[in-house]
Amino acid sequence: MRWIWAAVVVVVLAAANLSASDPSTTLSFESLSSQQQQQQQESDQSDALIATIFATIDHLDIVNGAAGAAETQLLQHRTVRWFDGEPATLCGAPPASEHSECFAPPERPTDRHQWDGALAGAGLILYGSVAKLDRYACLFEPAGTYLLVDEPSRSPLEQAHLRRLLGTLWTTRGAYRVYVRARGQLYGYDPFRRPAGADEYGALVQLEDGRPLPTVPLTDFGGYPLRIEVFRSVYSNPDERASASKADQITYSGPDVMARDVFCRALNVTVIPVPADRDLFGDRLPNGSFTGALGRLVRREVDIVFTGFFIKDYFARDVEFTAGLYSDAVCCLVRKASRIPEALLPLYIFPGDIWALLGALGLACASVWALLRWCVRHIKPPAGGLWSRRHRLAVLFNLPRSLRAAGPVRRTVQLYVDSFILLVSAPYQRFTRSGVERLFLTGLLLVSLIFVSLYTSGLAAVFVNPLYYPDIGTLQQLDESGMAIPVKYRGFLDDVFAVNYSRLMDSLRARMQHLPAKESMLARVARLGNIATVTRRTTLALDNAIYLTTRQLHMVPECPRTYNLAYVMPHRSAFGEQFNKVLLRLVGGGLVDHWIEEARYGWTLRDWRVARRMMESNFKVLTVLDMQFAFYVLAIGLAVSVAVIGAELVHFHRAHRGDGHGINVLLRK
């Protein structure tokens, strides 16, 4: 040990002699000390900013590094996970079980695990080179906070290259809280700032003590370009006049478009319209990827889609709904029942129960009349009457000669026939002379007058307004019809009919099938008639109201599902809070409902010509064809009369077969 101390003393004396003999050496030591002090001061400021950045974060992930003396204070009282690996290992490996622990010693743990995804709102500290920042893109999420430690770094930092890397992370991953610590400085990226003289948004900022950190603007985005997609739906229809002037771009109109315009003016953003995909809403492919608007949201090619989506599970974990805007129901659709032939229209003036009531009323009135006549027959005749009792009753009841000698059954049957004749206001030849019967028959004629007037007015109505057979009115009737239910969008197969809710729902769900045909599904149902489909109630009532106006389709009143609708944006979007604030103000102020009512009124005016033609067609001139029922009844009556006459002739011929004058006698009668 003595020789070690001797060597130390020699070195110290040599350094003292050198400093005493050469004053320039002393100045170099002083300048070196000032640079170290400056670097130490910058490092302290950087540590203070890092502590401010991660102040509200309780979970930290550390990748490819150990905590130094500066980070030890940062990791205290936080949950820390440690990971090791190259980008290909971390991003491509399957998830592993996490290892969480409260950091106590500054030593580097030896048990590391592969990356299994950042926790919601967690922070990450990555030790590596700036050049490999884009290779670690899978580690970045929009809601996380990230720090890349690039120390020690001997190569000079190219700020333009760093700005491009951070800008790529913002556009592809939606992460903007990404900070880089290099050469004692702390850098960040502000996507909403446009450097002076630049055309694009996004600036690299050097963070200093006292300056605010990059954040999403609260109300004014300063013209920031926002990628917005709108495609054809119920509340967003292509504007034919505007599209004709701009052949390369389709413009839309409707409540969704009006909400988009007001939304953009409120936030002061510039709309970058994204052309609609041919798959519109999108669908999930067998390999797990998505097409249409869902695929663009997953790939973060758009910032928000201003077309209402049902708030339901689309099996896409990278999309998120905005605040709910309006609601709509999903209903079943079938072809309108066939029209009742004109020859049978008079039978459908009254429903079946009214016809039954009319028949029961005729039987009841005939029974009352028979009771009254029985009472009159058994009244004692006045003494000294000039007529016999039988002759007096025959004259009193005004009976024909054929009924005077007939039995009681024949006279009772005739009363029932006469009651129905009076009830339908048919011509009646022999009216009774009995005052009691006349009083009763007067009331019967008043009742018949009501029924006949209703029948006459109904007869005119059924010829003016066409009648149809009963439509399918419930889901139970739809199930009993046995119709298949093809749908154009696969999303309807998921939960339109509730799973394991009832046997009826399970049966209807089993009949659904995906049919991606180019033909409109509504037109297909109207053309075939042996299938049903599922569509939004608003779609049928507004956008395709022509099918209802022309009586081609019928919507089952019992709708199986009701949804809330909202717009869609990428999962954990940095704009989520600001977007929802503006949309909730639009809903709370009643603007969305007002625009929807305006759209309904506009669609009514658009289809007014068709509706007017339908109304004009209701006023028709009655022809002989419209009166075929009366001719059918007349023909049936004549045929029955001929048959009865023929039967009487045959019966009389058989009864008087030996009498040559039988037929002549019958004809004389």
Side-chain angles (χ1 to χ4, degrees):
M1 294 296 293
R2 293 181 179 178
W3 64 271
I4 296 177
W5 287 107
V8 172
V9 172
V10 171
V11 171
V12 171
L13 293 176
N17 293 332
L18 182 60
S19 61
S21 60
D22 191 357
S24 61
T25 305
T26 304
L27 295 176
S28 63
F29 275 113
E30 292 178 355
S31 61
L32 182 61
S33 177
S34 62
Q35 292 178 359
Q36 292 177 352
Q37 292 178 359
Q38 184 178 1
Q39 292 179 357
Q40 183 64 31
Q41 184 179 2
E42 293 177 352
S43 178
D44 294 340
Q45 293 179 356
S46 178
D47 294 339
L49 288 173
I50 293 175
T52 303
I53 292 171
F54 291 96
T56 59
I57 297 176
D58 297 330
H59 303 277
L60 286 177
D61 296 331
I62 298 180
V63 179
N64 295 339
E71 289 82 0
T72 302
Q73 186 68 24
L74 178 64
L75 301 183
Q76 288 182 354
H77 308 293
R78 286 180 170 88
T79 302
V80 182
R81 302 190 306 177
W82 304 82
F83 301 94
D84 268 343
E86 292 297 323
T89 305
L90 293 173
C91 297
S97 61
E98 71 174 39
H99 173 72
S100 301
E101 60 180 13
C102 292
F103 183 85
E107 290 83 10
R108 177 174 175 174
T110 57
D111 49 346
R112 309 296 179 91
H113 297 279
Q114 293 175 337
W115 179 257
D116 60 350
L119 299 176
L124 183 143
I125 300 177
L126 173 63
Y127 290 85
S129 174
V130 174
K132 296 182 179 181
L133 183 61
D134 55 342
R135 300 171 59 184
Y136 287 96
C138 68
L139 307 181
F140 297 91
E141 296 291 339
T145 303
Y146 305 93
L147 173 64
L148 173 64
V149 180
D150 190 31
E151 291 182 350
S153 178
R154 296 181 180 179
S155 59
L157 180 66
E158 297 182 3
Q159 295 188 3
H161 179 62
L162 179 60
R163 176 183 174 275
R164 287 194 298 270
L165 292 177
L166 296 179
T168 303
L169 289 178
W170 163 249
T171 55
T172 58
R173 303 293 298 180
Y176 75 96
R177 286 189 291 266
V178 180
Y179 306 96
V180 177
R181 182 175 183 177
R183 306 180 67 84
Q185 299 292 333
L186 191 63
Y187 298 92
Y189 182 74
D190 190 353
F192 308 102
R193 179 186 298 182
R194 183 167 60 180
D199 297 333
E200 298 180 354
Y201 280 78
L204 183 68
V205 294
Q206 183 176 350
L207 303 181
E208 297 179 359
D209 191 13
R211 289 188 177 182
L213 299 175
T215 183
V216 180
L218 296 178
T219 56
D220 189 359
F221 281 75
Y224 179 79
L226 209 62
R227 299 167 296 177
I228 298 178
E229 180 180 0
V230 178
F231 53 85
R232 189 182 186 280
S233 185
V234 179
Y235 294 135
S236 54
N237 290 289
D239 193 344
E240 299 178 356
R241 292 176 296 179
S243 300
S245 59
K246 299 179 181 179
D248 57 338
Q249 182 178 351
I250 300 178
T251 58
Y252 296 87
S253 61
D256 287 338
V257 180
M258 298 182 70
R260 180 201 65 182
D261 297 339
V262 175
F263 171 87
C264 294
R265 286 199 300 269
L267 292 178
N268 190 17
V269 297
T270 303
V271 179
I272 299 181
V274 179
D277 191 89
R278 64 177 183 177
D279 291 333
L280 300 183
F281 292 94
D283 197 1
R284 185 179 183 182
L285 299 178
N287 60 1
S289 61
F290 292 85
T291 61
L294 290 176
R296 289 179 173 176
L297 291 167
V298 171
R299 298 187 298 270
R300 294 188 177 273
E301 297 177 358
V302 295
D303 297 316
I304 186 173
V305 177
F306 265 87
T307 297
F309 277 67
F310 291 145
I311 300 181
K312 51 176 286 188
D313 188 7
Y314 292 96
F315 305 101
R317 297 295 177 263
D318 294 328
V319 299
E320 185 176 346
F321 295 101
T322 63
L325 300 172
Y326 42 83
S327 61
D328 201 353
V330 175
C331 303
C332 298
L333 195 68
V334 296
R335 189 169 72 174
K336 180 72 176 176
S338 60
R339 187 173 176 178
I340 298 176
E342 295 181 350
L344 301 179
L345 285 179
L347 297 178
Y348 287 88
I349 295 176
F350 296 145
D353 53 352
I354 300 298
W355 284 114
L357 180 62
L358 183 61
L361 180 63
L363 294 176
C365 293
S367 300
V368 173
W369 194 0
L371 180 62
L372 288 176
R373 180 157 293 187
W374 181 87
C375 295
V376 172
R377 283 179 178 275
H378 289 78
I379 294 177
K380 184 178 180 180
L386 297 179
W387 293 346
S388 66
R389 179 181 179 86
R390 181 174 182 181
H391 182 73
R392 184 180 63 83
L393 291 177
V395 174
L396 181 64
F397 299 145
N398 197 13
L399 298 178
R401 294 181 180 180
S402 60
L403 288 179
R404 292 179 182 179
V409 177
R410 173 70 178 84
R411 290 195 298 268
T412 304
V413 172
Q414 186 63 40
L415 282 179
Y416 278 86
V417 173
D418 293 343
S419 298
F420 279 97
I421 290 176
L422 293 175
L423 190 61
V424 298
S425 295
Y428 187 67
Q429 184 177 4
R430 295 180 177 273
F431 208 82
T432 180
R433 295 185 177 92
S434 174
V436 178
E437 290 186 355
R438 286 187 176 186
L439 183 62
F440 169 73
L441 295 181
T442 301
L444 183 61
L445 289 175
L446 291 177
V447 174
S448 68
L449 179 63
I450 297 175
F451 276 100
V452 170
S453 61
L454 290 177
Y455 186 84
T456 305
S457 60
L459 187 64
V462 295
F463 282 111
V464 172
N465 299 316
L467 295 181
Y468 296 83
Y469 288 108
D471 293 302
I472 296 177
T474 62
L475 295 179
Q476 182 67 37
Q477 295 178 0
L478 178 62
D479 182 46
E480 294 173 355
S481 66
M483 294 183 181
I485 309 177
V487 293
K488 193 172 185 178
Y489 300 107
R490 193 183 299 273
F492 284 137
L493 299 175
D494 299 333
D495 53 358
V496 171
F497 299 105
V499 182
N500 299 327
Y501 181 76
S502 64
R503 294 182 178 179
L504 174 62
M505 293 297 177
D506 293 338
S507 176
L508 293 174
R509 182 183 178 89
R511 295 180 182 177
M512 297 185 70
Q513 54 184 344
H514 181 225
L515 185 62
K518 295 182 179 180
E519 182 184 11
S520 172
M521 195 57 63
L522 302 184
R524 189 180 184 89
V525 172
R527 179 173 57 86
L528 297 179
N530 58 350
I531 60 174
T533 189
V534 173
T535 186
R536 289 174 56 178
R537 180 166 54 190
T538 309
T539 302
L540 184 61
L542 299 179
D543 199 16
N544 297 300
I546 188 67
Y547 289 101
L548 290 181
T549 307
T550 56
R551 297 182 177 90
Q552 300 181 51
L553 298 177
H554 169 71
M555 183 180 68
V556 180
E558 186 180 354
C559 297
R561 181 76 71 172
T562 300
Y563 292 97
N564 290 325
L565 286 89
Y567 302 137
V568 191
M569 56 186 175
H571 184 53
R572 296 179 182 176
S573 174
F575 306 104
E577 184 176 357
Q578 283 72 13
F579 285 179
N580 286 328
K581 286 182 180 179
V582 177
L583 292 176
L584 287 175
R585 290 177 62 187
L586 295 178
V587 175
L591 293 178
V592 176
D593 294 337
H594 173 68
W595 294 329
I596 290 175
E597 293 300 326
E598 279 190 342
R600 290 178 177 176
Y601 181 72
W603 280 315
T604 303
L605 293 180
R606 184 189 63 182
D607 295 334
W608 173 247
R609 294 182 178 179
V610 179
R612 186 174 59 183
R613 287 198 298 268
M614 292 295 298
M615 294 175 62
E616 291 176 353
S617 64
N618 291 338
F619 298 97
K620 57 178 298 184
V621 178
L622 296 180
T623 61
V624 177
L625 295 178
D626 298 323
M627 306 304 296
Q628 7 183 358
F629 180 78
F631 290 100
Y632 290 154
V633 173
L634 178 61
I636 293 173
L638 293 176
V640 172
S641 301
V642 171
V644 171
I645 292 176
E648 289 185 356
L649 290 175
V650 172
H651 175 71
F652 186 83
H653 178 70
R654 290 180 179 180
H656 304 81
R657 181 170 298 180
D659 189 358
H661 303 283
I663 296 179
N664 296 328
V665 173
L666 180 61
L667 291 177
R668 283 197 299 272
K669 287 185 177 181

